[in-house]
Amino acid sequence: MASRTKSAFLQVHSIIGLAISLILGLIGLTGAMLSFEDEIVAALNRDIAHVEVRPAPVLLPDALVAIVQAVPGSGKVGAVSMSSEPGATVRLRFARGEDDGRSSVYVDPYDGRVLAAMRGEGFFATLRALHRWLLLPGGGKGVGRQVTGVAVLGLFVLLISGMVLRWPRRVRSIKSGIKTWLKPNLAMRGRPFHWSLHSVVGTWLLPIYLVSILTGLWWSFDWYKDSAIWLLSSKPAVTTQAPRAAKGATKAGSADAPAAPSFDKVWSTFLADQGSRYALVNMQLPNGAGSVVRVRSVAKDAPFEEARDEFRIDGVTGRMVSAERYNDKSTGDRILAAVLHIHTGAFLGLPGRIVFLLAAALMPLFTVTGFILYFSRRRLRAASKPGRRHAVGLVPGE
């Protein structure tokens, strides 16, 4: 009975592995390359991230946006990112499809002069799209999300079935059992070596892959994200409907035309609430019709960059629509806010990020060794004598 059960699990393990191993290898490699994106981008843009501090006052966001958009060929600015650090340049991000493919530019906060486009942003944006939805049509709303999600679910099945295949019928001693499970036999050659490498490294990395699976599905399936929010959040999910126009707003062009949101009004309301407590702040215009601007800020004492305060501010009236501060969140809400932080291993500090990077980079190892084991198993079974219960050259568990 045990032999039949392991044979069934081996079939499941092999079929799913053959179907998704290439996708998992690609997801692992791209994930490893994204692990230190922020540090790499910061290094690439170090010379334009700051300007010399001058006695002149810095310009307000609307003035900076107006100067940049007045340049022929420039597109519409969709977001403004600012730092409280003296001399830090302002980052303006164009709306999608604007400015001939440029996404962000750095601007001198004193005179609005464009210093340079953000280096490395396009490369990492493409790499992130490849990691999350394989560059398939539709982007984040297309079928690519589901494909990667199914592959990640398949990885979960591979981990469980792999552990069942490794489970010994009887363990002679704790010492020998641990040695067999956790130490690869590097003295072996050929197929037994590949099997040892495949199984032992997979056992070591299983906890890391489980964390990656549980957090990675957040970006693939809405039902998974909604379920996590329902389970962990202290309050029900609320969708803020942005008003088309504020009552009494200034009308331009026609009687029905809504007033455009003002970054200055949002900025003024934000400063009145936060003062000098913020380190970074991003103000993003609504994608469609509406005047409510999304503001995300990181406090100077924030434990990590994803520990953000989030505000909704009406860009026409300056009214604070909603405010969610990280320090006021429950434990469950803090976990939800830290999904990316957990997914990359950053919640364990720099050692955690390095370990998660190595685990992601090793994913192609299982693709290669898995294919080797599968095709060599078929060859050995085909060459074995009729009537033999176990083909010569196969290792226990196969």
Side-chain angles (χ1 to χ4, degrees):
M1 182 61 69
S3 178
R4 293 177 185 175
T5 301
K6 285 201 171 186
S7 178
F9 272 94
L10 179 60
Q11 291 297 320
V12 171
H13 192 86
S14 299
I15 293 172
I16 294 179
L18 289 172
I20 66 172
S21 60
L22 291 177
I23 295 177
L24 290 177
L26 180 61
I27 292 175
L29 280 179
T30 53
M33 295 171 70
L34 287 166
S35 295
F36 286 89
E37 174 188 358
D38 292 340
E39 288 78 5
I40 295 173
V41 171
L44 292 174
N45 296 279
R46 182 175 290 119
D47 59 330
I48 54 174
H50 291 82
V51 295
E52 184 180 354
V53 178
R54 306 198 286 270
V58 297
L59 297 177
L60 291 174
D62 279 345
L64 294 172
V65 171
I67 292 172
V68 172
Q69 291 186 159
V71 177
S74 293
K76 179 182 177 181
V77 173
V80 177
S81 297
M82 307 174 73
S83 171
S84 62
E85 186 178 351
T89 54
V90 178
R91 176 186 167 192
L92 303 184
R93 190 173 76 244
F94 295 98
R96 293 179 180 177
E98 300 284 352
D99 198 50
D100 298 328
R102 284 193 300 171
S103 183
S104 300
V105 293
Y106 284 101
V107 176
D108 190 314
Y110 296 101
D111 56 21
R113 178 171 52 93
V114 175
L115 300 174
M118 187 174 183
R119 300 164 188 158
E121 185 180 24
F123 170 78
F124 281 107
T126 302
L127 195 64
R128 195 178 305 109
L130 183 60
H131 179 72
R132 291 184 177 179
W133 50 79
L134 307 176
L135 294 178
L136 293 176
K141 297 181 180 179
V143 70
R145 290 177 64 213
Q146 284 71 44
V147 173
T148 56
V150 169
V152 171
L153 288 174
L155 175 60
F156 179 77
V157 177
L158 291 176
L159 294 176
I160 300 302
S161 59
M163 292 301 293
V164 172
L165 292 172
R166 288 213 73 196
W167 200 264
R169 292 184 179 181
R170 56 179 65 91
V171 180
R172 294 181 179 179
S173 69
I174 295 177
K175 183 178 180 180
S176 62
I178 293 177
K179 183 177 180 181
T180 301
W181 271 63
L182 300 180
K183 183 179 178 181
N185 193 338
L186 303 180
M188 293 188 296
R189 294 291 181 266
R191 193 172 192 283
F193 169 74
H194 295 136
W195 186 87
S196 178
L197 200 62
H198 188 89
S199 57
V200 173
V201 176
T203 302
W204 275 101
L205 298 181
L206 184 143
I208 298 173
Y209 287 151
L210 285 178
V211 173
S212 299
I213 290 169
L214 293 174
T215 51
L217 290 172
W218 174 275
W219 291 279
S220 291
F221 298 115
D222 291 333
W223 60 264
Y224 185 89
K225 183 176 182 180
D226 294 339
S227 299
I229 293 174
W230 175 83
L231 181 65
L232 296 174
S233 181
S234 60
K235 57 186 179 303
V238 177
T239 302
T240 304
Q241 295 293 333
R244 286 187 171 272
K247 186 175 180 180
T250 304
K251 299 177 182 180
S254 69
D256 297 326
S262 166
F263 282 115
D264 284 357
K265 290 187 176 180
V266 174
W267 181 238
S268 177
T269 301
F270 172 79
L271 286 180
D273 182 270
Q274 290 290 292
S276 60
R277 293 191 297 272
Y278 77 96
L280 299 169
V281 60
N282 175 269
M283 299 178 287
Q284 183 175 345
L285 294 176
N287 292 327
S291 60
V292 175
V293 177
R294 182 184 185 186
V295 181
R296 289 180 293 179
S297 67
V298 181
K300 293 178 180 177
D301 59 350
F304 53 93
E305 191 170 344
E306 285 78 25
R308 302 185 183 101
D309 298 326
E310 188 161 322
F311 307 89
R312 297 288 196 281
I313 302 175
D314 194 302
V316 174
T317 64
R319 178 177 62 91
M320 179 75 74
V321 177
S322 66
E324 293 184 6
R325 295 173 176 84
Y326 179 81
N327 289 335
D328 296 335
K329 292 180 181 291
S330 64
T331 301
D333 288 319
R334 291 191 179 192
I335 293 175
L336 293 174
V339 171
L340 180 61
H341 196 64
I342 299 172
H343 185 69
T344 61
F347 71 104
L348 296 174
L350 180 60
R353 295 177 68 186
I354 295 175
V355 170
F356 272 61
L357 181 153
L358 293 175
L362 284 172
M363 185 63 73
L365 170 70
F366 302 102
T367 301
V368 174
T369 56
F371 273 104
I372 291 174
L373 291 172
Y374 174 78
F375 288 111
S376 62
R377 180 169 62 248
R378 288 176 59 90
R379 186 178 66 253
L380 289 171
R381 284 181 174 175
S384 64
K385 294 181 180 180
R388 278 197 176 179
R389 193 171 180 184
H390 191 77
V392 176
L394 297 184
V395 297
E398 295 188 300

